[in-house]
Amino acid sequence: TKIVGCRSELEELAKEGQCNLASQLIQELVGLCRHSRRREEEGQGLQELVTEVARCLGEIGVVELGCIALVAVDDKRCDVDLSPFGRELSAGEQVAAQVLQLLSKLLVDEDVEVVKASGECLRAVLLTKTGAGVLSKLEGLAPGDSWCAYLEPFKPGKKKKAVGSPAVPVPSPTVASLDVENLWIPAANVAHGNWITTLVGALITSGVMDDEVLVQLKPVCETKVKFCEVIFPLCLHNILLRDMQEISAVLSRRVRSFFMSVSSTAPTSSVRTHAIPSESVHTMISMVMYLRTKERPRKSTRDVGTAWDNNFWLDLDFLDIGKAAQLCSAYFTSLLCIEIWNEVQRSIGQSENGAHPAIDSANRGRLDNTVVQDLLLEACRNIGEPDSLYGACSTLSLDERTLLTLYEHEGQWQAALGAYNLQMQLPGAAVESNLMKCLQNLGLNHVLLTYLRGASSLSHHTPQVAGCQYEAAWRCSIWDNSVTNFLPATSEQNNYHKHVYDGLLAVKEGDNHLLLSSLVQARSTVISQLCSTGLESAYSLYPALSRLQAVQELEDAATSTPGERDFLDRWKRRELVSVDVDFPFIELVLALRSSTLKNLMTCVTWDAKREGQALSMGVRRELEGFFVAQVSMLVSEVHLARQTKNFHVAEHALFVLKQLSLQRDQYGIAAGLDCSVDWTREQEGAKLCWARGEKTHAIHQMRSLLKKLEVLTASNPQAMSVYPTALCLYGNWLAEMHLESPTVIMSKYLQEAVTLMENNSSAQGEELIKAYLMLARYADSQYQRIERHMSSPAFEAKKQLLQQSKRDLEKLQTMSGDQRLIARHMQMLKSQSEEDAVSLDSLINDKQQFLSKAVQNYILCLKTGNEHDLRIFRLCALWFDNSDQREMNRTVENGFRQLQSYKFLPLMYQLAARMSAAVPTSSFQTTLQELICRVTIDHPHHCLYVVLALSNASKDDAFSSEHMSGSKASARTNARLSKAKPAQHTSVDEDKVKAAKGVIAAIQAKKASLVQSIQLLCDAYIDLAYHNVDAHKKSRDPIPLPKTCPLLKLTNMVGVAIPTVELEVDPSCRYDNVVSLVGFDNHFELAGGINLPKVLSCTGSDGRRRKQLVKGKDDLRQDAVMQQVFILVNRLLVREPVTRKRKLSIRTYKVIPLSQRSGIVEWCEGTVPLGFYLIGTPQKPSGGAHSRYRPMDWPSADCRKRLMDAAKKTKDSKLKVFQEICQHFRPVFHHFFMEHFANPSEWFEKRLAYTRSVAASSIVGYIVGLGDRHVQNILIDTKTAEFIHIDLGVAFEQGKTLPTPETVPFRLTQDLVDGMGIAGVEGVFRRCCEETLVVMRASHEELKTIVQVLIHDPLYLWTISPLKALSLQRQPEGEETAATHRGGGGEMVEGDQTVGANSCGSSNKMAERVLLRLQEKLEGIEDGVPLGISGQVNHLIQEATDITNLCQLFPGWQPWI
């Protein structure tokens, strides 16, 4: 019961990215099952424990874990807690501490012999010198607080002192004793436990180990298999540390032969030997993975050890290890081994670069492409990652096998069925199982049963065939003997669907004994399969969780008693309708629910009929409850299946709905309820037709339904609740198909639907919000249509004709001649003029009506719910565009007061930028400033800095001049600030400052203390930003803050949130528990760069220290606006299931402008600039990955010089130089993931996160025209591997106006591609680009609105000043430092005075150009040619990787990296 209550919490944790808790809980339960299974094999029955664990897993059910890889829980690895020791242990002492901790845990083992052996080994270990050293370092620990408490009885007495020699004799080294095949490869019928015990014992007694602790462990190794598995890697590592060539050769040969033997037992192998136990294979793989985490001994002090070297402690063929890993379902390990093997193949033959000495004949000359491709396909099919398979298939020719793999992966079962049908005509083709899989996934269960009956004479009735038969039978509700007549008895053993079939049959017939036995066997079958599955991939858990949830719900329903059917409430609480989990796992549970309810209804009806009585009122109520529950579940299934494009499932659910309606008399269901079911079914059927593209059919169906409902609305309340929804949907479809006039669609359908819903008290809020939105969007689209028409040349020509007609009339009135002819002409002109004038007036009136209707309904939509809060952008855009209309301002003023203030927070920069004191009495300014006051009072921590940045406009000049000659006293500084006047600002700037100060004064009346505190904080930050540090320019040491620095006086600022900490928005406006500012460090550091920003640390009320970047002479407003764009794009990406499941997003950070040219930036902890990782720092270039992994390549500085020398040469010359550079500067970024993430699961997940991050940021960066993406402007997070883009001052195609124009849409250089693995840009990167672009295109309305609001921001700088453009492309290599690029801000150079808004004319022209190009990008227009999603992404990738484009870039962009 507790797990059922926690299920929603697990879902929320997964959504928040904390999937480890959910997966750990499930893994712990699976671990319990595995332990119980082992005990059961030993004769200790623990079936009850297994059943209870299965129930727990069933209660958890199909919860979205939110991750690809599971938390590493490997009981064969020596993962112990050494935190009590800190960093005081040597390598030998670390091994000893690990051993002591492991032995102490075995002291409470259930086996007495294990406890006895553990105690014996503990005494021996503590008598060694190393053990005594570890013990002495534990003296300070409290005995009750650590595992060391168990060591007390085994400590040597005072008379016994630790000695340097071990307590047991060490034999002389005998390498030959280890060079025995049977020792390393388990013989036939030899259990895993016996094999690993013998092997570890042989290692310990061989004499080749020199660790005095490990040689003491033989007694416990002989009694505890798990301990042997854990100690085995430690023993091998100790032997290899001796660095003896003979020993290494023997171990390499024997381990290599083990993996070759495993490969020969694989089903695809042509040489079959006895199967090696999977536990043994897993143990050997764990040993190899453990060695990878240990640093190899260096040959000399000059030898630079790398993570790549650590792969080669032994001379092994990693392709064989990859094959073995797949046999253990360790797919991530398999992929890692394939990557290592592939890199080895690339390095072979490059003798000039020096291959690793361990890479010899084992890996040389083995280009098993077919084997590698098969391994990749198999791994990618089983990891649950939707895009990796495309990368694996990209290396294959599109033959039948590849196409079928893709068909099945994409759910194109119809195409797959046709292909398998063709293959059946080939001689010897065995595709029956695949054919059955297609029929199952197409929902053709009756066809499948017919096929199986026809194939009953064939001798291929495997358990898989039996499972298909039983599943098809229970789905089709066939309960006679025709299902099992021809199935052999062996096919029923461990058959999940057979047990489910029996359980459902027991429900139907009321057979409790059969029910209970079926449930036990079904659970046991699933648990057996789960225990034999590798637990690297989260995807491996979903089939078992789905099946166990289905069994659990079957038990809940079948064991409930009449009158107490609470299982329906339990089903509802599980919230199955989610598109984040793969649909087949949800569909199984939904199908079993439907069958269970159907059989329950049959059972209840039969019981009443057996007694010869009519259905009682209680039975009728119970049946009606079942009926309503089944209808609700079927409707939910239709909705979910339609969303996930599983149309055949939706169609089947609609068919079941129809059957239910026809059977109402059988169950005594009220006719009125049945009508409601029919209407719902018809409406869902129409939606299904529309989703499938059968739009004409859908409209006909909906029109027919509306005619039925229209007749009944007056008399039937249920019809009245359905009719408005159908009417609104029908109107929306008519609008999309342009089948009615705009006036008719709006008045007769959309407005009518809204009116009906508003008058219906039972109308659901969700439907009403949709109706408001549909009406608002349609009215808005018509308003935009008229706007475009009134801006067109045709409309201008019509206006000119009207004016010309008026002039002609005036001329005719003064003309002499035949008055009758003149009068006739005048009448004609007058009629035409009046007609044109009426048409023009009508158009203007329509425009105003559509505008008013759009604004009113956007406000109602935002007022009624929160699902469409992004519409606030469109609403404000309409307001800004029509701010001169008094009626518009009155509507907005009244409407905005009804909206919650937090909805305006994303627009605060744009709202504040439009403040002005030039016309203080204008209705627009009155409404605007009142709104800003309200929002800022409600959310001061989010808004106050925005308004203060405007009011502080004059302080840049004041502080700049103050610090030109050095720092002054704080008191004098504050005195000058209070009297500071704008120095070189335009009247617009003065008006904004005046308006901002007026707003601050109004806010101060409500929040006096908070406003005063934040004002002091801003002034103190600005003071530090302009603090003169020329004397410390070359210093790297901490610089003390002046004693008079205002920041030092700001301590314990209760209620003032740290500005760079992301504060969650509270709709209730309560910010009582913010992380407040406690104080600052008394020193800072310089971050390098032109303007020398300062790195300062502050302390929060939560005790954490946080770094901030304080910048002066830098305009951070554009960076803040771009962060705003990224945040909004993230909201769009998380809104769509496809991109949400892939976790596609842009990493953001806080940027707080404090004035026009100063501000603070959140420091991105745990990150490193891409350039620093790859080519090192200017002070230490040898620390870069290129120097470490490819020391013979050209240095990056030489590459830059060569490209700069070719800068003024022809394009062909540049291309030739760039090609030569790329030949001598090879990519190395894939090593980043092996360095930072040694565990295979973590390695794959982080590399996947990196690739997705690059894809999302590339497409979004392209859409917003983000430029200046050199290697110091991109950070890589060393913990999450995500990209973080900084210094965002070059956006909206401004990079094309630089002295050396940028020629690529985004950065996709060879190192970035190298980090994506074998597939490169294929697979994950390409697919994620496509999915991101799909969302961008689908959200084109929101995007254009957002950008439209931003680009008309009066403070946005549309042009890069010549000085700034020059500075961007003149900075010599190495000027940047890590600190400079932890945040945003385009640095200003001396003499660059562009601080205000652009001129109105140039701003409008640039804005129009940006909007036009944005629209072209969102429509897929590239070089004037419209492209589809795939075509546009392909075009962008080609442009970004084309060397003819890369060679033309500015050398400082470093396109070779």
Side-chain angles (χ1 to χ4, degrees), residues 1427-1443:
L1427 301 173
I1429 294 292
S1430 299
Q1432 189 176 9
V1433 168
N1434 188 63
H1435 171 80
L1436 294 174
I1437 291 175
Q1438 287 181 347
E1439 288 288 300
T1441 56
D1442 189 348
I1443 58 174

Side-chain angles (χ1 to χ4, degrees), residues 172 373 508 552 563 653 709 763 803 953 995 1004 1122 1272 1434 1448:
S172 58
Q373 291 162 0
K508 183 173 181 287
Q552 185 62 39
L709 293 171
Q803 293 171 359
Q1004 200 161 13
M1122 290 308 299
Q1272 305 299 346
N1434 188 63
Q1448 298 179 66

Side-chain angles (χ1 to χ4, degrees), residues 1030-1045:
D1030 289 342
H1032 306 278
K1033 191 171 184 178
K1034 297 183 179 180
S1035 173
R1036 296 188 192 174
D1037 299 326
I1039 302 169
L1041 284 170
K1043 294 181 180 179
T1044 57
C1045 180

Side-chain angles (χ1 to χ4, degrees), residues 26-284:
I26 294 170
Q27 283 180 274
E28 290 294 339
L29 291 171
V30 174
L32 266 178
C33 286
R34 290 183 167 178
H35 175 70
S36 303
R37 286 289 180 186
R38 279 199 294 265
R39 295 285 301 278
E40 198 172 345
E41 291 171 2
E42 295 169 2
Q44 304 176 19
L46 293 175
Q47 183 60 43
E48 290 184 7
L49 177 61
V50 173
T51 301
E52 289 306 315
V53 170
R55 281 199 175 96
C56 289
L57 291 171
E59 293 289 3
I60 294 172
V62 192
V63 59
E64 170 57 31
L65 295 176
C67 57
I68 294 292
L70 293 174
V71 181
V73 181
D74 190 348
D75 57 3
K76 294 177 175 56
R77 290 184 58 182
C78 189
D79 295 331
V80 293
D81 180 22
L82 300 179
S83 57
F85 302 98
R87 298 183 178 179
E88 299 178 1
L89 298 181
S90 65
E93 288 175 334
Q94 286 182 17
V95 172
Q98 290 173 325
V99 169
L100 288 173
Q101 187 170 351
L102 290 169
L103 290 174
S104 66
K105 291 179 180 178
L106 292 180
L107 292 174
V108 293
D109 194 85
E110 298 172 349
D111 192 330
V112 176
E113 293 299 320
V114 173
V115 176
K116 182 178 177 182
S118 301
E120 180 183 343
C121 289
L122 272 173
R123 289 189 182 90
V125 169
L126 292 176
L127 281 172
T128 64
K129 188 175 181 179
T130 307
V134 173
L135 191 62
S136 65
K137 292 180 180 179
L138 284 170
E139 293 294 335
L141 295 175
D145 295 339
S146 174
W147 51 266
C148 59
Y150 290 105
L151 303 180
E152 287 295 325
F154 304 98
K155 289 182 180 180
K158 294 182 179 179
K159 295 182 180 180
K160 289 186 178 182
K161 294 184 178 179
V163 292
S165 57
V168 295
V170 178
S172 58
T174 54
V175 179
S177 65
L178 297 179
D179 197 6
V180 180
E181 182 174 340
N182 288 338
L183 182 65
W184 293 91
I185 303 175
N189 301 321
V190 173
H192 164 68
N194 294 334
W195 169 75
I196 190 62
T197 301
T198 304
L199 176 58
V200 175
L203 291 174
I204 291 174
T205 58
S206 66
V208 295
M209 290 172 55
D210 62 358
D211 188 291
E212 61 180 351
V213 171
L214 293 177
V215 297
Q216 314 296 324
L217 303 180
K218 188 176 180 183
V220 72
C221 286
E222 291 175 341
T223 58
K224 189 69 174 178
V225 172
K226 184 177 178 182
F227 185 80
C228 282
E229 294 171 345
V230 174
I231 291 300
F232 175 53
L234 299 179
C235 294
L236 228 60
H237 180 234
N238 176 253
I239 294 172
L240 292 169
L241 278 174
R242 300 185 68 176
D243 205 17
M244 296 174 60
Q245 189 172 359
E246 182 185 5
I247 297 176
S248 297
V250 169
L251 294 180
S252 296
R253 183 168 61 252
R254 287 306 166 194
V255 175
R256 190 164 61 245
S257 65
F258 174 89
F259 286 115
M260 290 176 65
S261 299
V262 173
S263 298
S264 66
T265 64
T268 57
S269 174
S270 58
V271 181
R272 291 299 302 266
T273 61
H274 70 276
I276 296 177
S278 60
E279 296 95 331
S280 303
V281 179
H282 189 195
T283 300
M284 197 65 82

Side-chain angles (χ1 to χ4, degrees), residues 1294-1306:
Q1294 291 176 345
K1296 294 183 177 181
T1297 66
L1298 294 172
T1300 304
E1302 296 190 349
T1303 54
V1304 293
F1306 43 76

